[in-house]
Structures are given as C-alpha cells and as structure tokens.
Amino acid sequence: MRNSIQREVERFLSPAFRTIQWKGDHLVLLDQRRLPKDEVYLELRTPEEVASAIRDLVVRGAPAIGVTAAMGMALAARSARTRGTKEFLESLDKHYHLLMRSRPTAVNLRWALERQRRRIEALAGSDPDEIQAALEEEALRIFEEDVLTNVAIGEHGAQVVPSDACILTHCNAGALATAGYGTALGVVRSAYRQGKVQMVFADETRPFLQGSRLTAWELQKDGIPVTVITDNMAGHFLQRGEITLIIVGADRIAQNGDVANKIGTYSLAVLAKENQVPFYVAAPLSTFDGTLESGDRIPIEERNGEEVLLWEDMRLAPAGVTARYPAFDITPNQLITGIITEKGVIRPPLKERIRKLLVEE
Amino acid sequence: MRNSIQREVERFLSPAFRTIQWKGDHLVLLDQRRLPKDEVYLELRTPEEVASAIRDLVVRGAPAIGVTAAMGMALAARSARTRGTKEFLESLDKHYHLLMRSRPTAVNLRWALERQRRRIEALAGSDPDEIQAALEEEALRIFEEDVLTNVAIGEHGAQVVPSDACILTHCNAGALATAGYGTALGVVRSAYRQGKVQMVFADETRPFLQGSRLTAWELQKDGIPVTVITDNMAGHFLQRGEITLIIVGADRIAQNGDVANKIGTYSLAVLAKENQVPFYVAAPLSTFDGTLESGDRIPIEERNGEEVLLWEDMRLAPAGVTARYPAFDITPNQLITGIITEKGVIRPPLKERIRKLLVEE
C-alpha cells in the first residue's frame, strides 16, 4: 500500500528537482533564496534548523511550510527519543510551539502541526520510539497527500481553463510551494498537458521575486511557456485583453471565502473584476481556517522594510529612507470567481458552500 | 526682465541638486540611471549625445525630456552655425528628426521640438548666428516656463490636498522629471509647505525603480517624509484606508482626458476607484496632445524585456526566460478625479473642459 502510494506520488514529482526530501534522520530542502542562480540543497537535522529555514524563506508556500513543519516534528522526536517519556513529551511540546511561531500567515503550518499533535495524543502511554515512528509516518503521509491533493486540484482546475488560455499567476504556487506539482501551477500543469495553455504570465512578485525567480524557473524546467512581467504591468495586459484568466494560490482562507495570499493578490482581483476576467484561487482544504469568520481576522505578517530596499547587497533607495513590507493581503470573497480544491471548484455563494465542505470534512 | 525671471525660477530649484543645466556651449544632466548611489553629472556637447541621453534614460520624465530636447536643438545650431545657410538648415532638420525619435510616448518632446522649429521658420532668411541665438533663448525660456508652470501646478494642486494627507505617488514626477519643482511632486511640495502632508508613499516603480531611486531621493533631500513600497502593495494600503489620495504625473493626455503615464498608473486608478480614493493627474498643458481624440491612439513604448530580467548585472530570472516591458499604460478618463494643470484643476466631464482649455491656449 505504502509502496504503491509512493510510486503514484513519484509520477507527479518533477524529474528535474525536489523541493522537500525526507531522508529518515534528516530533511533536505532546495534553498529557494538562491534560485534561479544556484540550485543548492540544505540538510536539516534539528527542529531548530527547520524553524529557521521556514522563517528565513529557504522554503515558502503554505503547503510546503506545512509539510516541512511536520517533518520538523519527526526530527524533534528523533533527537529526544533517548530521554525519559516526560522529558521527551516536553521536548516535543517545546518544538511544536517553536515551529508554530516560525511564520504567522500560512494556516497549513498550524494544520500540519496539529495533525502531529493529535498523533502524539493518540499514543499517550506509548514509548518514545513508537511516537517517533508515528510522527515520521504522519509527516510522510502529509507529504504524499499534499502531492495527490495538488494533482486533484490540477485536474479540477483544468476544467475551468479554456483552450488557448493565457494564464496570469502571482508569486509561486507551484511545485516549489508544495510537496510537488503545485496548486495554481498544478492547474497550469494539468491544463498544459491537455493542450490548453498558450502562455503563462508570471508576475515577478516583489520584493522576494518568487515569480521571476521561482515560477519562471520551475515552468522552464517543465517546458511550459512563461513570460515574466513586473507586478505593475498586470493591469495593462488585462486591459488589453491579453489575459484569459488569473489563478493564484492561498496562504489562508476564512470561512466566508476571504483569501490571504502574497501581497499584490488583492490588486489582481480588483483588476480582474474591472476587466471581467475570471479570478480563481487554487488551494487544498488544509488552507481553510474553520476558526475565522472573515479575512479581517487573518494575521498579516509585516516583514522588515529593509527587504524592500535591498537586493542582495545592493541598496535600491537612498540610505535612511524607510519602507513597509506587508507580506500578504486579503482578497474579499466577492472578487473571487471560484476556489479550486481537491474536492472540486467552490463557486459563489462561497460562504455557504465552504461551510458545507468543512462540515463534510 | 530675463534676470528677474531667472531669480524667480532660482527660488524654486533645489539648492541640493540640478536636473538640467544649460552652460552656453554644453548641457549638464544629472545621470538618473546612477541615483541614488552616485550623483554624477554628464556634460553633453552634441545633439547626438542629447538624443542618446534621452533614449538611455539619463534624463526621463515628460517635461524634462522636452526641455532637454529643446537644448539639443540649440546645440545642433551651435555645432552647424559656421556652415552655409542651406547646410545649416539641413543639419537642424536632421537633428530635429533625430531628437524626435529618441522616445515615443512623451508628447512634451514633440511640443518642445515644434517650438524650436517654429522659431527657425519665423527666422527664415536670417543667418545661422541669429537662429542659433534664438534657439538658445527659446530653450532657456522653455526651461524657465517649465519651472514656473510646475509651481502653478503645485499651488493649484495643494488646494485638493486635505490636512494630514498620506499621498501615494508612482514613478517620479518630481524635480528630476522636470526642469525643477515637479508636477505630482510639485503638488506634494506646495502641500507640504502648507503643513498638510503627513506621509508620501512612493511606489518603487519596477523595473527602473524611479520611485525608490528617484522620488525617495529627492523627497529626502527636501526633508519631506517618504515611505517606499513595492508596486503590488498599493492596493493593500488603499484597502486599509492608509492612503488619502493619489497624485501621478503624465506623459501624454488625449483630448478626452485619457492619460498615458508610467506602467502601473492604470492599476492604481482602478484600485483608487474600488476604494473610493481620489485619483489626480498633475501635468502642464504641454502634455496634452490636441491631435489625439483618445488614449487608444497614444503609442506605448515597448522596451527590451531584458530590462525586467536584469538588475545591473544580476539576473533575476533563469537564463532563457523571456519578459515583456510596456513602459507606459493608458488610464481611461472615467477613472480620473481631476487633472491639475498650471491653469487650475480640470474636473469631469474632462473631454469638454479640456477642449475648451486647449482652444483658449
């Protein structure tokens, strides 16, 4: 069973690169800060290293963060398993909180860590070795489920893509943002296989350039045609009728369908409405936050403004000037044409349909 | 008279820097490609050098391009004045066309060159020395008029700025984009002097970063508070109510009030409408193109996509990936709250009011 799932998952992973690899006693991450110039893989052996890698954007993208954090818990168990049960559980609890704090907006982080916590609770009274094995198994299961979920998102999403489509996407919601295949780029991959994709327009996505550095990189690796534009050009191409539809990922979705995603997403949704172009969000059910009624309550990470003012060691503005850096924004549900999930496309009225889906879950 | 105008103009020029300086036998330009890191001034002695400087963005901004081109014609006359009258006029004609082709979108370029051509035509039969003196005088007059026009724009515009305003601007429509003082930033300067400006938000304006490199630089020099944001953040701050109004410049305005300006301007106008925030354009009457009925007819310069993919010598996307670079976009008149000119603020219905103003001219 496990082997057949592994083979199935393997089919959908890029032969050219791996975002996240589990190696039993350590985790290997493709260092996304250094793409596209260098393809460097980092080995992480402790939960502290995993938390730093999430915070410092070695790995990013809500589903990938979730998978990585789950593996971080497996490493926490491995490093503490020789201690007594009480100390072992305390250590797991400490690392659970450490990983939970690594980034605030992506809800998949919490979702994955809670799965691990439930495994620990279900094994109350078991010895550390058993718990460690369970956390490792659960981390691998989250990894595999994520790939298969993305493939399902891709297949459902491809149905909303018309032929000869020019698809605009923002940031990177691809294989690099997930265990593999991608959410928004999963839809692109499935639609491309069906011969429907003429061109992918990738917003460069300042300040971290996930679009030009990551989306362009992974689409190029898969031979899918891609054109990079700066974020401020999207409106122009929408106005000129050069974009057929927009598909983005999500970091957290509230009960009413408000979506937190990479800064700039809200602007695209408004521009899509103005130009009557469909605006889709592609995300697994693990991105829905059943505890929040609306997007107002989603915490928006404000990162250091220096990240806007510096590119590597080059200063883009005069010394002494300040900058702001909200890393995400909220797209209100009424701007969204549909949310593409592994269970199908949720269409308005989003609030009622999301509630139904989350209850069924 | 000339001296009193010069003194008046001098009052409004920054004591800290000069964008364009006329030195009799040459022209000095602040090299805007190298700001904010280096403040380098280039001496230009031939119209060919002037045309290259405009094309290569040493100088940019519609009014500044117009002033520079007019000075280019004065240099053309200086370098050809020792030839016979026929050869002299042929040389002027050749350089007129060379300068006209240097950039396509800013109409002030054509406007300034046509002023010089009319001077030449009015002096038909005069000798080269007389024509050369007239072209130099006209260039200086265009320079001085531009500064005083900007000050008038600033004073009219300050009236639409409420107290404690947070003003969002795009690109650089400042002293660096004009002979001095600025159009959109002229309004900011006048409103700041009146104590009304709490903060200027400057879109960084990819790919050339006129916002973070130039607007932040010149506002910092004048002690006006500025916060840099990436272009994709403007929508978020508008949604959150942190922006009181938007003021941008223009490269060309059609008869119906459609505005060509730096790529990204259209998106801001749509986002302003969505969030019910006033959207103003500040531009001299020389930016109006009386020959074009609407914005559809304004030529949009498409620059080399490599300028999107490279920052100095750093490649931002994988080798082999392509990019698009439309340098301007068109904001339709119905998204514009008002156009601030040296004659006052034109409010909708823009088409009728612009026609009236251009006829009065």
Side-chain angles (χ1 to χ4, degrees), chain A residues 124-144:
Chain A
S126 305
D127 66 26
D129 280 343
E130 269 179 88
I131 294 177
Q132 184 242 318
L135 293 183
E136 181 171 331
E137 187 201 57
E138 189 75 5
L140 277 175
R141 190 173 292 170
I142 290 174
F143 178 98
E144 290 160 354

Side-chain angles (χ1 to χ4, degrees), chain B residues 280-297:
Chain B
Y280 288 97
V281 174
L285 293 178
S286 57
T287 302
F288 287 79
D289 185 345
T291 71
L292 294 184
E293 266 190 49
S294 77
D296 310 341
R297 311 289 303 281

Side-chain angles (χ1 to χ4, degrees), chain A residues 320-346:
Chain A
V321 163
T322 57
R324 296 273 300 272
Y325 182 4
F328 302 92
D329 60 25
I330 306 294
T331 299
N333 58 8
Q334 68 270 19
L335 297 176
I336 298 168
T337 309
I339 302 178
I340 305 164
T341 75
E342 65 270 36
K343 294 279 182 75
V345 182
I346 313 175

Side-chain angles (χ1 to χ4, degrees), chain B residues 100-216:
Chain B
M100 190 71 96
R101 282 193 308 270
S102 57
R103 285 193 79 188
T105 303
V107 77
N108 311 59
L109 176 70
R110 187 179 81 197
W111 172 87
L113 288 170
E114 280 178 358
R115 270 181 69 161
Q116 293 292 42
R117 200 183 55 186
R118 282 198 299 273
R119 283 304 290 263
I120 298 166
E121 286 167 359
L123 290 168
S126 305
D127 66 27
D129 279 344
E130 269 180 274
I131 294 176
Q132 183 242 319
L135 293 183
E136 181 171 331
E137 187 202 56
E138 190 74 6
L140 277 175
R141 190 174 289 169
I142 290 172
F143 178 97
E144 290 160 353
E145 282 175 14
D146 189 55
V147 176
L148 298 177
T149 293
N150 289 340
V151 173
I153 289 171
E155 296 303 309
H156 287 298
Q159 294 174 30
V160 309
V161 177
S163 22
D164 296 322
C166 288
I167 302 175
L168 172 67
T169 190
H170 189 66
C171 194
N172 173 270
L176 290 168
T178 59
Y181 204 72
T183 53
L185 294 191
V187 176
V188 165
R189 284 191 168 85
S190 294
Y192 183 73
R193 233 179 255 157
Q194 296 173 19
K196 289 171 163 182
V197 178
Q198 190 185 126
M199 180 56 71
V200 179
F201 281 84
D203 274 353
E204 65 173 10
T205 317
R206 281 280 295 147
F208 199 53
L209 297 176
Q210 291 93 337
S212 46
R213 294 193 306 109
L214 308 180
T215 293

Side-chain angles (χ1 to χ4, degrees), chain B residues 103-360:
Chain B
R103 285 193 79 188
T105 303
V107 77
N108 311 59
L109 176 70
R110 187 179 81 197
W111 172 87
L113 288 170
E114 280 178 358
R115 270 181 69 161
Q116 293 292 42
R117 200 183 55 186
R118 282 198 299 273
R119 283 304 290 263
I120 298 166
E121 286 167 359
L123 290 168
S126 305
D127 66 27
D129 279 344
E130 269 180 274
I131 294 176
Q132 183 242 319
L135 293 183
E136 181 171 331
E137 187 202 56
E138 190 74 6
L140 277 175
R141 190 174 289 169
I142 290 172
F143 178 97
E144 290 160 353
E145 282 175 14
D146 189 55
V147 176
L148 298 177
T149 293
N150 289 340
V151 173
I153 289 171
E155 296 303 309
H156 287 298
Q159 294 174 30
V160 309
V161 177
S163 22
D164 296 322
C166 288
I167 302 175
L168 172 67
T169 190
H170 189 66
C171 194
N172 173 270
L176 290 168
T178 59
Y181 204 72
T183 53
L185 294 191
V187 176
V188 165
R189 284 191 168 85
S190 294
Y192 183 73
R193 233 179 255 157
Q194 296 173 19
K196 289 171 163 182
V197 178
Q198 190 185 126
M199 180 56 71
V200 179
F201 281 84
D203 274 353
E204 65 173 10
T205 317
R206 281 280 295 147
F208 199 53
L209 297 176
Q210 291 93 337
S212 46
R213 294 193 306 109
L214 308 180
T215 293
W217 186 83
E218 72 165 272
L219 292 180
Q220 189 188 43
K221 287 247 173 196
D222 280 7
I224 298 173
V226 59
T227 297
V228 173
I229 61 174
T230 62
D231 301 284
N232 56 22
M233 292 173 190
H236 172 75
F237 289 112
L238 282 160
Q239 187 189 34
R240 295 262 163 143
E242 295 196 38
I243 310 287
T244 318
L245 78 168
I246 300 178
I247 312 177
V248 299
D251 288 82
R252 195 185 296 214
I253 303 176
Q255 283 171 25
N256 69 344
D258 290 352
V259 168
N261 191 47
K262 181 52 54 197
I263 188 75
T265 302
Y266 162 70
S267 299
L268 292 183
V270 170
L271 287 160
K273 184 181 86 167
E274 174 78 6
N275 291 284
Q276 298 174 293
V277 165
F279 180 87
Y280 288 97
V281 174
L285 293 178
S286 57
T287 302
F288 287 79
D289 185 345
T291 71
L292 294 184
E293 266 190 49
S294 77
D296 310 341
R297 311 289 303 281
I298 299 177
I300 297 291
E301 177 180 7
E302 277 241 16
R303 296 182 69 87
N304 190 332
E306 283 292 295
E307 294 182 45
V308 167
L309 300 173
L310 283 171
W311 185 252
E312 296 194 359
D313 56 349
M314 235 171 349
R315 188 159 281 278
L316 306 179
V321 163
T322 57
R324 297 272 299 273
Y325 182 5
F328 302 91
D329 61 26
I330 306 294
T331 299
N333 58 8
Q334 67 271 19
L335 298 176
I336 298 169
T337 310
I339 303 179
I340 305 164
T341 75
E342 66 269 37
K343 294 280 182 74
V345 182
I346 312 175
R347 298 201 174 263
L350 292 177
K351 193 173 167 180
E352 289 87 86
R353 295 193 174 156
I354 289 170
R355 189 186 302 129
K356 197 158 163 281
L357 206 65
L358 293 183
V359 169
E360 282 172 4

Side-chain angles (χ1 to χ4, degrees), chain B residues 66-126:
Chain B
V67 170
T68 304
M71 291 177 175
M73 284 302 290
L75 291 178
R78 176 169 289 267
S79 65
R81 71 188 157 158
T82 54
R83 305 186 197 167
T85 300
K86 181 162 172 284
E87 231 186 302
F88 172 75
L89 290 174
E90 279 169 7
S91 174
L92 286 187
D93 189 59
K94 184 185 85 183
H95 289 116
Y96 168 88
H97 289 289
L98 173 74
L99 288 161
M100 190 71 96
R101 282 193 308 270
S102 57
R103 285 193 79 188
T105 303
V107 77
N108 311 59
L109 176 70
R110 187 179 81 197
W111 172 87
L113 288 170
E114 280 178 358
R115 270 181 69 161
Q116 293 292 42
R117 200 183 55 186
R118 282 198 299 273
R119 283 304 290 263
I120 298 166
E121 286 167 359
L123 290 168
S126 305

